[in-house]
Amino acid sequence: MSSISPKDRIIFALDVSSVNEAARFTALLKDHVGMFKVGLELFVAAGPAIIKAVRENGGRGIFLDLKFHDIPETVKGAMRSASTLGADLVTVHTSDGQAMMKAAVEAAGASRVLGVTVLTSLSADAFPEAGIDKNFTPASLVLHRAKSAKEAGCAGIVCSGQEARAIRDEYGPDFLIVTPGVRLADDAIGDQKRVVTPFEAVKNGADYIVVGRPIRKAADPIEAAKRIAGEIEKAVR
Ligand code: C5P
């Protein structure tokens, strides 16, 4: 994975609500990030045509982050459709066991399936209310779910940069690690909880970092992307 250039390790989260805004950010950032992430907000607003629109505006890699979570047959159908759209990466939840993930992997075609382990907006205090066994910590739950994702045939997982090192050590260089919850030292944290800097995420073994607000809300998004790429470069050096 070290052959990926620093900027290509950045996945920009297109968390906007219209095709026009998405097209504007794609055209602006296409030479400064490696992939564009279409998530729930944009996909629900713009529909599948958004994938074509991102490509037409210069976006090469597409991460379709719809976090599938349903019975295996439904997930299989959804994944088949996602693959037909040409998404490079697609997410499925890991929290309900391997059958759902196996169904996703079976229907993925050329798309790579990532298992979402524990949302980066969740900290240990929220576990009791979410019905998660009190013996788990975020780190141990991520490891538990990563094992399940690996066994189900997922190409990798989504976790926070705080857990990336343990996953990398356990599963070696070929298991993809994608980490959201990334902030530069002076960025607002917002609703994220398990946050690290781009330097820490990549140093800890992340292949790709997902960045939304720190670029989208910056006065100069290109400059923010360049600063992030600069941190990544230091981490891989
Ligand atoms: O704006 P911010 O950088 O916090 O955006 C993070 C992006 O990563 C959002 O699009 C969010 O849906 C996504 N994400 C996350 N935590 C996960 C998986 C995806 O924050 N575990």
Side-chain angles (χ1 to χ4, degrees):
M1 275 298 157
S2 55
S3 57
I4 311 175
S5 75
K7 75 175 168 60
D8 284 342
R9 290 173 182 269
I10 304 173
I11 301 177
F12 176 64
L14 277 168
D15 291 331
V16 294
S17 58
S18 72
V19 178
N20 281 351
E21 258 185 300
R24 185 174 69 78
F25 272 117
T26 307
L28 184 73
L29 293 166
K30 65 179 169 41
D31 297 325
H32 304 281
V33 304
M35 251 191 241
F36 289 88
K37 183 171 90 70
V38 174
L40 288 168
E41 179 181 0
L42 183 58
F43 196 82
V44 171
I50 189 62
I51 305 293
K52 194 161 169 256
V54 171
R55 288 212 194 279
E56 280 172 359
N57 280 280
R60 290 161 294 135
I62 306 276
F63 176 7
L64 187 58
D65 184 23
L66 300 182
K67 299 187 180 69
F68 296 144
H69 192 172
D70 212 315
I71 60 169
E73 264 316 291
T74 304
V75 166
K76 193 185 283 181
M79 189 58 78
R80 200 178 296 122
S81 301
S83 171
T84 307
L85 288 175
D88 299 286
L89 300 173
V90 185
T91 42
V92 60
H93 273 285
T94 56
S95 53
D96 272 310
Q98 290 186 12
M100 189 197 299
M101 291 187 273
K102 282 181 177 161
V105 170
E106 217 177 285
S111 303
R112 288 187 290 178
V113 178
L114 297 177
V116 176
T117 56
V118 180
L119 295 173
T120 44
S121 56
L122 216 62
S123 57
D125 345 332
F127 281 12
E129 199 237 321
I132 296 168
D133 189 296
K134 63 177 175 11
N135 292 317
F136 276 118
T137 61
S140 67
L141 186 56
V142 167
L143 262 172
H144 176 81
R145 290 180 175 171
K147 180 171 187 284
S148 183
K150 173 83 179 162
E151 286 171 3
C154 290
I157 56 151
V158 181
C159 64
S160 99
Q162 294 179 8
E163 298 99 30
R165 173 50 50 203
I167 302 295
R168 183 59 72 222
D169 289 348
E170 186 72 25
Y171 296 108
D174 296 331
F175 197 53
L176 274 183
I177 302 178
V178 177
T179 65
V182 170
R183 294 290 183 268
L184 290 165
D186 49 355
D187 284 332
I189 286 176
D191 56 351
Q192 297 285 14
K193 294 276 175 1
R194 304 195 327 279
V195 171
V196 299
T197 64
F199 176 86
E200 289 164 334
V202 173
K203 198 84 194 156
N204 286 347
D207 296 297
Y208 296 99
I209 60 168
V210 176
V211 188
R213 284 163 288 189
I215 292 179
R216 197 172 74 249
K217 290 189 181 293
D220 181 347
I222 292 180
E223 193 268 340
K226 283 184 173 167
R227 275 173 64 202
I228 291 168
E231 277 212 17
I232 295 174
E233 189 171 6
K234 278 189 213 142
V236 289
R237 210 181 277 158

